[in-house]
Amino acid sequence: MAENQPDFLSKALGYANAQVHEKSLSDAEHAGMGTTFTAATILDEQLHYANVGDSRIYLATKKDGITQLTRDHSNQTEDLLEKGVITEKEAASYPDTLLNRAIGTDSYVDVDKASASLKGIEYILICSDGLTNMLSNQEILNTMQLENSLEDIAEQLVKKALEYGGYDNISLIIIDLTKGCEV
């Protein structure tokens, strides 16, 4: 069953895309609407995920740091970042950050999907670009490493993003795999 999870999530995002796209065509008030979407399940010590847009999934450990699993679907920014042409800091303010993939903007959407091992992972963070446009990965990790409750960590991340100018919505989910989760 685990090997089917990314496909299942991809199909779910495809269905959501069709519904949002249809609404945007049938209702002038919603014309052109779209959204990012990141979905994940945990099964058999694996994180299975699918995404469209620039909402992200990170895996983190206090020892090894933070790793971004998903790839942003913004015009050139992510490609330039991957090629080492610009730094992560430069990417955050790079002028070409329009999405080239989103749920609902076209009749079909290409969904990224994959799985990752959770062995040794302490935290999973799923968040919108309202957080990652304001805070670096290191700032996010530093906040997650504090000995606070998940609620306090989430509040601190949102507070910092707002202090830095938080011009977009800020959504996040933090999962602490060290607290009673058998992974």
Side-chain angles (χ1 to χ4, degrees):
M1 172 111 181
E3 62 277 357
N4 296 327
Q5 289 297 301
D7 288 335
F8 172 79
L9 293 169
S10 178
K11 287 177 186 174
L13 269 62
Y15 178 78
N17 180 73
Q19 297 302 305
V20 173
H21 186 65
E22 177 59 36
K23 182 71 171 177
S24 76
L25 295 176
S26 65
D27 185 342
E29 184 178 328
H30 296 99
M33 73 175 173
T35 189
T36 65
F37 201 120
T38 300
T41 61
I42 297 173
L43 184 65
D44 298 333
E45 299 184 9
Q46 295 278 314
L47 178 72
H48 308 281
Y49 59 95
N51 80 295
V52 175
D54 57 2
S55 293
R56 297 178 179 174
I57 298 177
Y58 292 93
L59 299 182
T61 67
K62 292 181 180 179
K63 178 184 172 199
D64 298 323
I66 190 165
T67 302
Q68 180 180 335
L69 288 183
T70 54
R71 183 177 189 276
D72 292 348
H73 301 131
S74 54
N75 289 340
Q76 293 179 317
T77 308
E78 191 69 19
D79 291 334
L80 293 173
L81 184 61
E82 280 185 3
K83 292 175 183 172
V85 175
I86 60 174
T87 66
E88 185 178 305
K89 186 175 182 178
E90 291 168 328
S93 61
Y94 196 74
D96 187 19
T97 57
L98 297 175
L99 289 177
N100 58 13
R101 261 196 260 174
I103 295 290
T105 57
D106 293 303
S107 60
Y108 171 81
V109 68
D110 187 21
V111 178
D112 287 354
K113 59 185 178 178
S115 298
S117 172
L118 292 175
K119 289 185 186 238
I121 299 300
E122 295 172 294
Y123 299 101
I124 301 168
L125 171 65
I126 304 172
C127 59
S128 67
D129 66 326
L131 181 70
T132 58
N133 285 342
M134 298 291 106
L135 301 177
S136 69
N137 289 356
Q138 190 60 50
E139 290 172 303
I140 293 170
L141 179 64
N142 291 345
T143 304
M144 290 175 69
Q145 290 177 329
L146 299 174
E147 297 298 325
N148 293 332
S149 69
L150 291 182
E151 292 81 10
D152 288 343
I153 292 170
E155 285 178 21
Q156 288 177 29
L157 288 170
V158 170
K159 182 179 177 184
K160 285 181 183 182
L162 291 171
E163 286 173 359
Y164 290 174
Y167 56 86
D168 201 351
N169 68 329
I170 304 166
S171 303
L172 62 100
I173 298 170
I174 304 172
I175 301 167
D176 183 345
L177 297 174
T178 68
K179 307 252 179 171
C181 184
E182 295 182 8
V183 175

